[in-house]
Amino acid sequence: MGTRKKVHAFVRVKPTDDFAHEMIRYGDDKRSIDIHLKKDIRRGVVNNQQTDWSFKLDGVLHDASQDLVYETVAKDVVSQALDGYNGTIMCYGQTGAGKTYTMMGATENYKHRGILPRALQQVFRMIEERPTHAITVRVSYLEIYNESLFDLLSTLPYVGPSVTPMTIVENPQGVFIKGLSVHLTSQEEDAFSLLFEGETNRIIASHTMNKNSSRSHCIFTIYLEAHSRTLSEEKYITSKINLVDLAGSERLGKSGAIIALGDQKRDHIPFRQCKLTHALKDSLGGNCNMVLVTNIYGEAAQLEETLSSLRFASRMKLVTTEPAINEKYDAERMVKNLEKELALLKQELAIHDSLTNRTFVTYDPMDEIQIAEINSQVRRYLEGTLDEIDIISLRQIKEVFNQFRVVLSQQEQEVESTLRRKYTLIDRNDFAAISAIQKAGLVDVDGHLVGEPEGQNFGLGVAPFSTKPGKKAKSKKTFKEPLSSLARKEGASSPVNGKDLDYVSTSKTQLVPSSKDGDVKDMLSRDRETSSIEPLPSDSPKEELRPIRPDTPPSKPVAFEEFKNEQGSEINRIFKENKSILNERRKRASETTQHINAIKREIDVTKEALNFQKSLREKQGKYENKGLMIIDEEEFLLILKLKDLKKQYRSEYQDLRDLRAEIQYCQHLVDQCRHRLLMEFDIWYNESFVIPEDMQMALKPGGSIRPGMVPVNRIVSLGEDDQDKFSQLQQRVLPEGPDSISFYNAKVKIEQKHNYLKTMMGLQQAHRK
């Protein structure tokens, strides 16, 4: 267990022009805050009304920047997480007091980002500083609204909504949310994209103090797993960082579990009283470094709720935790280390046996020849031709007993086979067979033989249950016929169903979900200048040359085939050529791999032959001439052959590495062509069959639709417009913050995606009207 420590509690005061200087005062140590209220005269001159409160905390953040807040509150927690300690940072306070701003910040401005984006940046910066460890990062985003659990990342196309509701599950490893998606992120930009994706799905509403106030609890969790790159190191560490943005304190209520944590006399903590405390059970008072940031107002009108929030922070300071490093063991590396240790022990035994003249003892598993020799010794011992079996090792003793069992089993089978050839064995429990034999007069009522008809001996014995009289076998056969005919009928119809299913699945793989189009547009617009694909014009040169639009849009599979043969023929040709090159490289790689494996097998055979020659030479004695070892011609030829084979192996392996690099590059080109083909098809299909013609005319420059009536100015230029905005943003902010590229890149991608979805939904609704 780790060292017990208190929860760190900080207070952040929201800046305001109407600050109550007479009622709220800060201590010189920047850790205390005093609250003073005037007596209520309506209660009389003499009353026991409390007017002064003093709260001692770990820090008071007044007029503090986002940088200072993060350095004070979160930096150490995140740093220790990479050393294996769990961490939780929680923002609590009245609605509109600045909880979400403290946790998330203003995503439109890089300088005003909050604790969560900065924590992601720090994690990836520290990973770069630890080249000796392979660290994986995973994230999840949970929302708790009205005691219901929601996955804020379920809108991603590869996740989808869960069929069963999410539940909180406890096991010996801790508490986890069943049904919550966890996403692997290898780059800082990917992590920001997931963060912004979840932020767009949060439940928010406006009130008098905040137009975009969160109405739910949100838990963004960063899961870390660090493995040493040293192969002998079998231990690895895991940790997680919970970044919690709570709903308003007046909505949260007073949690019984947290109050109980602050009461040292309580034995039972009601974590299951609400979903929030249940989900954070292993963080509240458990194996975790925990920090609470209490956000308060500095205005006199909100003083009552401010007092309530400060009392909550004081109680949380009484909570103790026991953070400890989360160490686990890699089973695969443990096996490899044990194998190395076993090999060393075998070497030690070999040295010991050579010193005691027991060089004939081996500790390797017995091969087939040795087992056959022991089997022969056991048979000769049972026949009496061998007086005793020499005992060499414990492994040999076990194999001798095993061969005794094998010989005994073989003898039993031989006896049973002999009896079956001579007698007809009937199962004692097969009463139908016994009754038939009695009716035939072969045995009496007691089961004794009556005679020997046709020269065959009949008797009673134990037979396998599968042995049945002839009549039963016949009925069993007739029973199988309808089943086989039914199977043939089903089999005859199955190819049709399989074909239909193949057609459906093929059609699905040809069409990508619209939620990915924003990312595809962004990627293509950024690579437009360097791409090897010639961009196709999305607008026809002459409107009057367009074919007449059908009343009912064709199905997308049919339209896609038409598009590939006409408007998209050039991209489709490039796609097929790249795919053909990719298949050819894969075929060459497969052939090279087979050749390498053949060379490896030949190397192994040559090594065995060379070892055999060396063993013969050692038995015959060593021949030296002027200090040089003399070997025969056959061993010399084997050495030369082994050298050539190794040279071939290295050459072929280098060719294989080059082929793999080419395959990876070709795969990238094929994916790029596929994305471009699908994107162009989507634009062509929408222009040709979905977007009304009058709206197409209006969407052109100088049209009748004013800005704001349609979500975008021109749907076909959506990706380019967003790319221009991003380029302008880069020129403006990068000189001031060179580390902000991932932040803004992820932000623009998410905006592109959601703008595109809104555009398509708006156009489809207009078309239905």
Coordinates of all heavy atoms in Angstrom, one line a residue, residues 334-413:
M334 N 7.4 -13.0 -18.8 CA 7.7 -13.9 -17.7 C 8.1 -15.3 -18.3 O 9.1 -15.9 -17.8 CB 6.5 -14.0 -16.8 CG 6.3 -12.8 -15.9 SD 4.9 -13.0 -14.8 CE 5.6 -14.3 -13.7
V335 N 7.4 -15.7 -19.3 CA 7.7 -17.1 -19.9 C 9.1 -17.0 -20.5 O 9.8 -18.0 -20.3 CB 6.6 -17.4 -20.9 CG1 7.0 -18.7 -21.7 CG2 5.3 -17.7 -20.2
K336 N 9.4 -16.0 -21.2 CA 10.7 -15.9 -21.8 C 11.8 -15.9 -20.8 O 12.9 -16.5 -21.0 CB 10.8 -14.7 -22.7 CG 9.9 -14.7 -24.0 CD 10.1 -13.5 -24.8 CE 9.2 -13.6 -26.1 NZ 9.4 -12.4 -26.9
N337 N 11.6 -15.1 -19.7 CA 12.6 -15.1 -18.6 C 12.8 -16.5 -18.0 O 13.9 -16.9 -17.6 CB 12.3 -14.0 -17.6 CG 12.4 -12.6 -18.2 OD1 13.0 -12.4 -19.1 ND2 11.7 -11.7 -17.5
L338 N 11.7 -17.2 -17.8 CA 11.7 -18.5 -17.2 C 12.4 -19.5 -18.1 O 13.2 -20.4 -17.6 CB 10.3 -19.0 -16.8 CG 9.6 -18.3 -15.7 CD1 8.2 -18.8 -15.5 CD2 10.4 -18.5 -14.4
E339 N 12.2 -19.3 -19.4 CA 12.9 -20.2 -20.4 C 14.4 -19.9 -20.3 O 15.2 -20.9 -20.4 CB 12.4 -19.9 -21.8 CG 11.0 -20.5 -22.0 CD 10.4 -20.1 -23.4 OE1 11.0 -19.3 -24.0 OE2 9.4 -20.7 -23.8
K340 N 14.8 -18.7 -20.2 CA 16.3 -18.4 -20.1 C 16.8 -19.0 -18.8 O 17.9 -19.5 -18.8 CB 16.5 -16.8 -20.1 CG 16.2 -16.2 -21.4 CD 16.5 -14.7 -21.3 CE 16.2 -14.0 -22.7 NZ 16.5 -12.5 -22.6
E341 N 16.1 -18.8 -17.7 CA 16.6 -19.4 -16.4 C 16.7 -20.9 -16.5 O 17.6 -21.5 -16.0 CB 15.6 -19.0 -15.3 CG 16.1 -19.4 -13.9 CD 15.2 -18.9 -12.8 OE1 14.2 -18.1 -13.2 OE2 15.4 -19.2 -11.7
L342 N 15.7 -21.5 -17.2 CA 15.7 -23.0 -17.4 C 16.9 -23.4 -18.2 O 17.6 -24.4 -17.8 CB 14.4 -23.5 -18.1 CG 14.3 -25.0 -18.3 CD1 14.3 -25.7 -17.0 CD2 13.0 -25.3 -19.1
A343 N 17.3 -22.7 -19.2 CA 18.4 -23.0 -20.0 C 19.7 -22.9 -19.2 O 20.6 -23.7 -19.3 CB 18.5 -22.1 -21.2
L344 N 19.8 -21.8 -18.3 CA 21.0 -21.7 -17.5 C 21.1 -22.8 -16.5 O 22.2 -23.4 -16.2 CB 20.9 -20.3 -16.7 CG 21.1 -19.1 -17.6 CD1 20.9 -17.8 -16.7 CD2 22.5 -19.1 -18.2
L345 N 19.9 -23.3 -15.9 CA 20.0 -24.4 -15.0 C 20.4 -25.7 -15.7 O 21.1 -26.5 -15.1 CB 18.6 -24.5 -14.3 CG 18.2 -23.4 -13.4 CD1 16.7 -23.6 -12.9 CD2 19.1 -23.4 -12.2
K346 N 20.0 -25.8 -16.9 CA 20.4 -27.0 -17.6 C 21.9 -27.0 -17.9 O 22.6 -28.1 -17.8 CB 19.7 -27.1 -19.0 CG 18.2 -27.6 -18.9 CD 17.6 -27.7 -20.3 CE 16.2 -28.2 -20.2 NZ 15.6 -28.4 -21.5
Q347 N 22.4 -25.8 -18.1 CA 23.9 -25.7 -18.3 C 24.6 -26.1 -17.0 O 25.7 -26.7 -17.0 CB 24.3 -24.3 -18.8 CG 23.8 -24.0 -20.2 CD 24.1 -22.6 -20.6 OE1 24.7 -21.9 -19.9 NE2 23.7 -22.2 -21.8
E348 N 24.1 -25.6 -15.9 CA 24.7 -25.9 -14.6 C 24.6 -27.4 -14.3 O 25.6 -28.0 -13.8 CB 23.9 -25.1 -13.5 CG 24.1 -23.6 -13.5 CD 25.5 -23.2 -13.0 OE1 26.1 -24.0 -12.4 OE2 25.9 -22.1 -13.3
L349 N 23.5 -28.1 -14.6 CA 23.4 -29.5 -14.5 C 24.4 -30.2 -15.3 O 25.0 -31.3 -14.9 CB 22.0 -30.0 -14.8 CG 20.9 -29.7 -13.7 CD1 19.6 -30.1 -14.2 CD2 21.3 -30.5 -12.4
A350 N 24.6 -29.7 -16.6 CA 25.5 -30.4 -17.5 C 26.9 -30.3 -16.9 O 27.7 -31.3 -17.0 CB 25.4 -29.7 -18.9
I351 N 27.3 -29.2 -16.4 CA 28.6 -29.0 -15.8 C 28.8 -30.0 -14.6 O 29.8 -30.7 -14.4 CB 28.9 -27.6 -15.4 CG1 28.9 -26.7 -16.6 CG2 30.1 -27.4 -14.6 CD1 29.0 -25.2 -16.3
H352 N 27.7 -30.1 -13.8 CA 27.8 -30.9 -12.6 C 27.9 -32.4 -13.0 O 28.6 -33.2 -12.4 CB 26.5 -30.7 -11.7 CG 26.4 -31.6 -10.5 ND1 25.8 -32.8 -10.6 CD2 26.9 -31.4 -9.3 CE1 25.9 -33.4 -9.4 NE2 26.5 -32.6 -8.6
D353 N 27.1 -32.8 -14.0 CA 27.2 -34.2 -14.5 C 28.5 -34.6 -15.1 O 29.0 -35.7 -14.9 CB 26.1 -34.5 -15.5 CG 24.7 -34.4 -14.9 OD1 24.6 -34.6 -13.7 OD2 23.7 -34.2 -15.6
S354 N 29.2 -33.6 -15.8 CA 30.5 -33.9 -16.3 C 31.5 -34.0 -15.3 O 32.5 -34.8 -15.4 CB 30.9 -32.7 -17.3 OG 31.0 -31.5 -16.6
L355 N 31.4 -33.3 -14.2 CA 32.3 -33.4 -13.0 C 32.1 -34.7 -12.3 O 33.1 -35.3 -11.7 CB 32.2 -32.3 -12.1 CG 32.5 -30.9 -12.6 CD1 32.2 -29.8 -11.6 CD2 34.0 -30.8 -13.0
T356 N 30.9 -35.3 -12.3 CA 30.6 -36.6 -11.6 C 30.6 -37.8 -12.6 O 30.0 -38.8 -12.2 CB 29.3 -36.5 -10.9 OG1 28.3 -36.1 -11.8 CG2 29.4 -35.4 -9.8
N357 N 31.1 -37.6 -13.8 CA 31.2 -38.7 -14.8 C 29.8 -39.2 -15.2 O 29.6 -40.4 -15.3 CB 32.1 -39.8 -14.3 CG 33.5 -39.4 -14.2 OD1 34.0 -38.6 -15.0 ND2 34.2 -39.9 -13.1
R358 N 28.8 -38.3 -15.3 CA 27.5 -38.7 -15.7 C 27.1 -38.0 -17.0 O 26.1 -37.4 -17.2 CB 26.4 -38.3 -14.6 CG 26.7 -39.1 -13.3 CD 25.7 -38.7 -12.3 NE 24.3 -39.2 -12.5 CZ 23.3 -38.4 -12.7 NH1 23.4 -37.1 -12.7 NH2 22.1 -38.9 -13.0
T359 N 28.1 -38.0 -18.0 CA 27.9 -37.3 -19.2 C 26.8 -37.9 -20.1 O 26.3 -37.3 -21.0 CB 29.2 -37.3 -20.0 OG1 29.6 -38.7 -20.2 CG2 30.3 -36.5 -19.3
F360 N 26.4 -39.2 -19.8 CA 25.4 -39.8 -20.7 C 24.0 -39.4 -20.3 O 23.0 -39.7 -20.9 CB 25.5 -41.4 -20.5 CG 25.5 -41.8 -19.1 CD1 24.3 -42.1 -18.4 CD2 26.7 -42.0 -18.4 CE1 24.3 -42.5 -17.1 CE2 26.7 -42.5 -17.1 CZ 25.5 -42.7 -16.5
V361 N 23.8 -38.6 -19.2 CA 22.5 -38.2 -18.7 C 22.1 -36.9 -19.5 O 22.9 -36.0 -19.6 CB 22.5 -37.9 -17.2 CG1 21.1 -37.4 -16.7 CG2 22.9 -39.1 -16.4
T362 N 20.9 -36.9 -20.0 CA 20.3 -35.7 -20.7 C 19.0 -35.3 -20.0 O 18.3 -36.1 -19.4 CB 20.0 -36.1 -22.2 OG1 19.0 -37.1 -22.2 CG2 21.2 -36.5 -22.9
Y363 N 18.8 -34.0 -20.1 CA 17.6 -33.4 -19.4 C 16.6 -32.9 -20.4 O 15.6 -32.3 -20.0 CB 18.0 -32.3 -18.4 CG 18.9 -32.8 -17.3 CD1 20.3 -32.7 -17.5 CD2 18.4 -33.4 -16.2 CE1 21.2 -33.2 -16.5 CE2 19.3 -33.9 -15.2 CZ 20.6 -33.8 -15.4 OH 21.5 -34.2 -14.4
D364 N 16.8 -33.2 -21.7 CA 15.9 -32.7 -22.7 C 14.7 -33.8 -22.8 O 14.9 -34.9 -22.4 CB 16.5 -32.6 -24.0 CG 17.6 -31.5 -24.0 OD1 17.3 -30.5 -23.4 OD2 18.6 -31.7 -24.7
P365 N 13.6 -33.3 -23.2 CA 12.5 -34.3 -23.4 C 12.9 -35.4 -24.4 O 13.6 -35.2 -25.3 CB 11.3 -33.4 -24.1 CG 11.7 -32.0 -23.6 CD 13.1 -32.0 -23.6
M366 N 12.4 -36.6 -24.1 CA 12.8 -37.8 -24.8 C 12.2 -37.8 -26.2 O 11.0 -37.4 -26.4 CB 12.4 -39.1 -24.1 CG 13.1 -39.3 -22.8 SD 12.7 -40.9 -22.1 CE 13.8 -41.0 -20.7
D367 N 13.0 -38.2 -27.2 CA 12.5 -38.3 -28.6 C 11.8 -39.6 -28.8 O 11.8 -40.5 -27.9 CB 13.6 -38.0 -29.6 CG 14.8 -39.0 -29.4 OD1 14.6 -40.0 -28.8 OD2 15.9 -38.6 -29.8
E368 N 11.3 -39.8 -30.0 CA 10.6 -41.0 -30.3 C 11.5 -42.3 -30.3 O 11.0 -43.3 -29.9 CB 9.9 -40.9 -31.7 CG 8.9 -39.8 -31.8 CD 8.3 -39.7 -33.2 OE1 8.8 -40.4 -34.1 OE2 7.4 -38.9 -33.4
I369 N 12.7 -42.1 -30.7 CA 13.6 -43.3 -30.6 C 13.9 -43.7 -29.2 O 13.8 -45.0 -28.9 CB 14.9 -42.9 -31.3 CG1 14.7 -42.6 -32.8 CG2 15.9 -44.1 -31.2 CD1 15.9 -42.1 -33.5
Q370 N 14.1 -42.8 -28.3 CA 14.3 -43.2 -26.9 C 13.1 -43.8 -26.3 O 13.1 -44.8 -25.5 CB 14.7 -41.9 -26.1 CG 16.1 -41.4 -26.5 CD 16.4 -40.1 -25.8 OE1 15.5 -39.3 -25.6 NE2 17.7 -39.8 -25.5
I371 N 11.9 -43.2 -26.6 CA 10.6 -43.8 -26.0 C 10.4 -45.2 -26.6 O 10.0 -46.1 -25.8 CB 9.5 -42.9 -26.4 CG1 9.6 -41.5 -25.7 CG2 8.1 -43.5 -26.0 CD1 8.5 -40.5 -26.1
A372 N 10.7 -45.4 -27.9 CA 10.6 -46.8 -28.4 C 11.5 -47.8 -27.8 O 11.2 -48.9 -27.6 CB 10.8 -46.7 -30.0
E373 N 12.7 -47.3 -27.4 CA 13.7 -48.2 -26.8 C 13.2 -48.6 -25.4 O 13.3 -49.8 -25.0 CB 15.0 -47.5 -26.7 CG 16.1 -48.2 -25.9 CD 16.4 -49.6 -26.6 OE1 16.3 -49.7 -27.8 OE2 16.9 -50.5 -25.8
I374 N 12.6 -47.6 -24.6 CA 12.1 -47.9 -23.3 C 10.9 -48.9 -23.4 O 10.7 -49.8 -22.6 CB 11.7 -46.6 -22.6 CG1 12.9 -45.8 -22.3 CG2 10.9 -46.9 -21.3 CD1 12.6 -44.5 -21.6
N375 N 10.1 -48.7 -24.4 CA 8.9 -49.6 -24.7 C 9.4 -51.0 -24.9 O 8.8 -52.0 -24.4 CB 8.1 -49.1 -25.8 CG 6.8 -49.9 -26.1 OD1 6.9 -51.0 -26.7 ND2 5.7 -49.5 -25.6
S376 N 10.5 -51.2 -25.7 CA 11.0 -52.5 -26.0 C 11.6 -53.1 -24.7 O 11.4 -54.3 -24.5 CB 12.1 -52.4 -27.0 OG 12.8 -53.6 -27.3
Q377 N 12.3 -52.3 -23.9 CA 12.8 -52.9 -22.6 C 11.6 -53.3 -21.7 O 11.8 -54.4 -21.1 CB 13.6 -51.8 -21.9 CG 14.9 -51.4 -22.6 CD 15.6 -50.3 -21.9 OE1 15.2 -49.8 -20.9 NE2 16.8 -49.9 -22.4
V378 N 10.5 -52.6 -21.6 CA 9.4 -53.0 -20.8 C 8.8 -54.3 -21.3 O 8.5 -55.2 -20.5 CB 8.4 -51.9 -20.8 CG1 7.1 -52.4 -20.1 CG2 8.9 -50.7 -20.0
R379 N 8.7 -54.5 -22.6 CA 8.1 -55.7 -23.2 C 9.0 -56.9 -22.9 O 8.5 -58.0 -22.5 CB 7.9 -55.6 -24.7 CG 6.7 -54.6 -25.0 CD 6.5 -54.5 -26.5 NE 5.4 -53.6 -26.9 CZ 4.1 -54.0 -26.9 NH1 3.8 -55.3 -26.6 NH2 3.2 -53.1 -27.2
R380 N 10.3 -56.7 -23.1 CA 11.3 -57.8 -22.8 C 11.3 -58.1 -21.3 O 11.4 -59.3 -20.9 CB 12.7 -57.4 -23.2 CG 12.8 -57.5 -24.8 CD 14.2 -57.2 -25.2 NE 14.5 -55.8 -25.0 CZ 15.8 -55.3 -24.8 NH1 16.8 -56.1 -24.7 NH2 16.0 -54.0 -24.7
Y381 N 11.1 -57.1 -20.4 CA 11.0 -57.4 -19.0 C 9.8 -58.2 -18.6 O 9.9 -59.1 -17.8 CB 11.0 -56.0 -18.3 CG 11.0 -56.2 -16.8 CD1 12.1 -56.4 -16.0 CD2 9.8 -56.0 -16.1 CE1 12.0 -56.6 -14.6 CE2 9.7 -56.1 -14.7 CZ 10.8 -56.4 -14.0 OH 10.7 -56.5 -12.6
L382 N 8.7 -57.9 -19.3 CA 7.4 -58.6 -19.0 C 7.5 -60.0 -19.5 O 6.9 -61.0 -19.0 CB 6.2 -57.9 -19.6 CG 5.9 -56.5 -18.9 CD1 4.8 -55.8 -19.7 CD2 5.5 -56.7 -17.5
E383 N 8.2 -60.2 -20.7 CA 8.3 -61.5 -21.3 C 9.4 -62.4 -20.5 O 9.4 -63.6 -20.7 CB 8.7 -61.4 -22.7 CG 7.6 -60.8 -23.6 CD 8.1 -60.4 -25.0 OE1 9.4 -60.6 -25.2 OE2 7.3 -60.0 -25.8
G384 N 10.2 -61.8 -19.7 CA 11.2 -62.5 -19.0 C 12.6 -62.6 -19.6 O 13.5 -63.2 -19.1
T385 N 12.7 -61.9 -20.8 CA 14.0 -62.0 -21.5 C 15.0 -60.9 -21.0 O 16.2 -60.9 -21.3 CB 13.8 -61.8 -23.0 OG1 13.2 -60.5 -23.2 CG2 13.0 -62.9 -23.5
L386 N 14.5 -60.0 -20.1 CA 15.4 -58.9 -19.6 C 15.2 -59.0 -18.1 O 14.1 -58.9 -17.5 CB 15.0 -57.6 -20.1 CG 15.8 -56.4 -19.7 CD1 17.2 -56.5 -20.2 CD2 15.2 -55.1 -20.1
D387 N 16.3 -59.1 -17.3 CA 16.3 -59.3 -15.9 C 15.9 -57.9 -15.2 O 15.1 -57.9 -14.3 CB 17.6 -59.8 -15.4 CG 17.9 -61.2 -15.9 OD1 16.9 -61.9 -16.2 OD2 19.1 -61.5 -16.0
E388 N 16.4 -56.8 -15.6 CA 16.1 -55.5 -15.0 C 16.4 -54.4 -16.0 O 17.1 -54.5 -17.0 CB 17.0 -55.3 -13.7 CG 18.5 -55.3 -14.0 CD 19.3 -55.2 -12.7 OE1 18.8 -55.4 -11.6 OE2 20.5 -54.8 -12.9
I389 N 15.7 -53.3 -15.6 CA 15.9 -52.1 -16.5 C 16.8 -51.1 -15.7 O 16.5 -50.7 -14.6 CB 14.5 -51.4 -16.7 CG1 13.6 -52.4 -17.5 CG2 14.6 -50.1 -17.5 CD1 12.2 -51.9 -17.6
D390 N 17.8 -50.6 -16.4 CA 18.8 -49.7 -15.7 C 18.1 -48.4 -15.5 O 17.5 -47.8 -16.4 CB 20.0 -49.6 -16.6 CG 20.8 -50.9 -16.7 OD1 20.7 -51.7 -15.8 OD2 21.4 -51.1 -17.8
I391 N 18.3 -47.8 -14.3 CA 17.7 -46.5 -14.0 C 18.8 -45.5 -14.2 O 19.9 -45.5 -13.6 CB 17.2 -46.5 -12.5 CG1 16.1 -47.6 -12.3 CG2 16.7 -45.1 -12.2 CD1 14.9 -47.4 -13.2
I392 N 18.4 -44.4 -15.0 CA 19.4 -43.4 -15.4 C 19.0 -42.0 -14.8 O 19.8 -41.3 -14.2 CB 19.5 -43.3 -16.9 CG1 20.0 -44.6 -17.5 CG2 20.5 -42.1 -17.3 CD1 20.1 -44.6 -19.0
S393 N 17.7 -41.7 -15.0 CA 17.3 -40.3 -14.5 C 15.8 -40.4 -14.1 O 15.1 -41.4 -14.4 CB 17.4 -39.3 -15.6 OG 16.6 -39.6 -16.7
L394 N 15.3 -39.4 -13.5 CA 13.9 -39.3 -13.0 C 13.0 -39.3 -14.3 O 11.9 -39.9 -14.2 CB 13.7 -38.1 -12.2 CG 12.3 -37.8 -11.7 CD1 11.8 -39.0 -10.8 CD2 12.2 -36.5 -10.9
R395 N 13.4 -38.6 -15.3 CA 12.6 -38.5 -16.5 C 12.4 -39.9 -17.1 O 11.3 -40.3 -17.6 CB 13.2 -37.6 -17.5 CG 12.3 -37.3 -18.7 CD 13.1 -36.4 -19.7 NE 13.5 -35.2 -19.2 CZ 12.8 -34.1 -19.2 NH1 11.6 -34.1 -19.8 NH2 13.2 -32.9 -18.7
Q396 N 13.5 -40.7 -17.0 CA 13.4 -42.1 -17.6 C 12.5 -43.0 -16.7 O 11.8 -43.8 -17.2 CB 14.8 -42.7 -17.7 CG 14.9 -44.0 -18.3 CD 15.4 -45.1 -17.4 OE1 15.6 -44.9 -16.2 NE2 15.6 -46.3 -17.9
I397 N 12.5 -42.8 -15.4 CA 11.7 -43.6 -14.5 C 10.2 -43.3 -14.8 O 9.4 -44.2 -15.0 CB 12.0 -43.2 -13.0 CG1 13.4 -43.7 -12.7 CG2 10.9 -43.9 -12.1 CD1 13.8 -43.3 -11.3
K398 N 9.9 -42.0 -15.0 CA 8.5 -41.7 -15.4 C 8.1 -42.3 -16.7 O 6.9 -42.8 -16.8 CB 8.3 -40.2 -15.4 CG 8.4 -39.5 -14.1 CD 8.2 -38.0 -14.2 CE 8.2 -37.3 -12.8 NZ 8.0 -35.8 -13.0
E399 N 9.0 -42.3 -17.7 CA 8.6 -42.9 -19.0 C 8.5 -44.4 -18.9 O 7.7 -45.0 -19.6 CB 9.7 -42.5 -20.0 CG 9.3 -42.8 -21.4 CD 8.1 -42.2 -21.9 OE1 7.8 -41.0 -21.5 OE2 7.3 -42.8 -22.6
V400 N 9.2 -45.1 -18.0 CA 9.1 -46.5 -17.8 C 7.7 -46.8 -17.3 O 7.0 -47.8 -17.9 CB 10.2 -47.0 -16.9 CG1 9.9 -48.5 -16.5 CG2 11.6 -47.0 -17.6
F401 N 7.3 -46.1 -16.3 CA 5.9 -46.4 -15.8 C 4.9 -46.1 -16.9 O 3.8 -46.8 -17.0 CB 5.7 -45.5 -14.5 CG 6.3 -46.1 -13.3 CD1 7.4 -45.6 -12.8 CD2 5.6 -47.2 -12.6 CE1 8.0 -46.1 -11.6 CE2 6.2 -47.7 -11.5 CZ 7.4 -47.2 -11.0
N402 N 5.1 -45.0 -17.6 CA 4.1 -44.7 -18.7 C 4.1 -45.8 -19.7 O 3.0 -46.1 -20.2 CB 4.5 -43.4 -19.3 CG 3.6 -42.9 -20.4 OD1 2.4 -42.9 -20.2 ND2 4.1 -42.5 -21.6
Q403 N 5.2 -46.4 -20.1 CA 5.2 -47.5 -21.1 C 4.6 -48.7 -20.5 O 4.0 -49.5 -21.3 CB 6.6 -47.8 -21.6 CG 7.2 -46.6 -22.4 CD 6.3 -46.3 -23.6 OE1 5.9 -47.2 -24.3 NE2 6.1 -45.0 -23.8
F404 N 4.7 -49.0 -19.2 CA 4.0 -50.1 -18.6 C 2.5 -49.9 -18.8 O 1.8 -50.9 -19.1 CB 4.3 -50.1 -17.1 CG 5.4 -51.0 -16.7 CD1 6.6 -50.5 -16.3 CD2 5.3 -52.4 -16.9 CE1 7.7 -51.3 -15.9 CE2 6.4 -53.3 -16.5 CZ 7.6 -52.7 -16.1
R405 N 2.0 -48.7 -18.6 CA 0.6 -48.4 -18.8 C 0.2 -48.6 -20.3 O -0.9 -49.2 -20.6 CB 0.2 -47.0 -18.4 CG -1.2 -46.7 -18.5 CD -1.5 -45.2 -18.2 NE -1.2 -44.8 -16.8 CZ -0.1 -44.1 -16.5 NH1 0.6 -43.5 -17.5 NH2 0.1 -43.8 -15.3
V406 N 1.1 -48.2 -21.2 CA 0.8 -48.4 -22.7 C 0.7 -49.9 -23.0 O -0.2 -50.3 -23.8 CB 1.9 -47.7 -23.5 CG1 1.7 -48.0 -25.0 CG2 1.8 -46.2 -23.3
V407 N 1.7 -50.6 -22.6 CA 1.7 -52.1 -22.9 C 0.5 -52.8 -22.3 O -0.1 -53.6 -23.0 CB 3.0 -52.7 -22.3 CG1 3.0 -54.2 -22.5 CG2 4.2 -52.2 -23.1
L408 N 0.1 -52.4 -21.1 CA -1.1 -53.0 -20.5 C -2.3 -52.7 -21.3 O -3.2 -53.6 -21.5 CB -1.2 -52.5 -19.0 CG -2.5 -53.0 -18.2 CD1 -2.4 -54.5 -18.1 CD2 -2.5 -52.4 -16.9
S409 N -2.5 -51.5 -21.7 CA -3.6 -51.1 -22.5 C -3.7 -51.8 -23.8 O -4.7 -52.3 -24.3 CB -3.6 -49.6 -22.7 OG -4.7 -49.2 -23.6
Q410 N -2.5 -52.0 -24.5 CA -2.5 -52.7 -25.7 C -2.8 -54.2 -25.5 O -3.6 -54.8 -26.4 CB -1.1 -52.6 -26.3 CG -0.7 -51.2 -26.8 CD 0.7 -51.1 -27.3 OE1 1.5 -52.0 -27.1 NE2 1.1 -50.0 -27.9
Q411 N -2.4 -54.8 -24.4 CA -2.7 -56.2 -24.2 C -4.2 -56.3 -23.9 O -4.9 -57.3 -24.4 CB -1.9 -56.7 -23.0 CG -0.5 -56.9 -23.3 CD 0.3 -57.3 -22.1 OE1 -0.2 -57.4 -20.9 NE2 1.6 -57.7 -22.3
E412 N -4.9 -55.4 -23.2 CA -6.3 -55.4 -23.0 C -7.1 -55.3 -24.3 O -8.0 -56.0 -24.6 CB -6.7 -54.3 -22.1 CG -6.3 -54.5 -20.6 CD -6.7 -53.3 -19.8 OE1 -7.2 -52.3 -20.3 OE2 -6.6 -53.4 -18.5
Q413 N -6.6 -54.5 -25.2 CA -7.2 -54.3 -26.5 C -7.1 -55.6 -27.3 O -8.0 -56.0 -28.1 CB -6.7 -53.1 -27.3 CG -7.0 -51.8 -26.7 CD -6.3 -50.7 -27.4 OE1 -5.6 -50.9 -28.4 NE2 -6.6 -49.4 -26.9

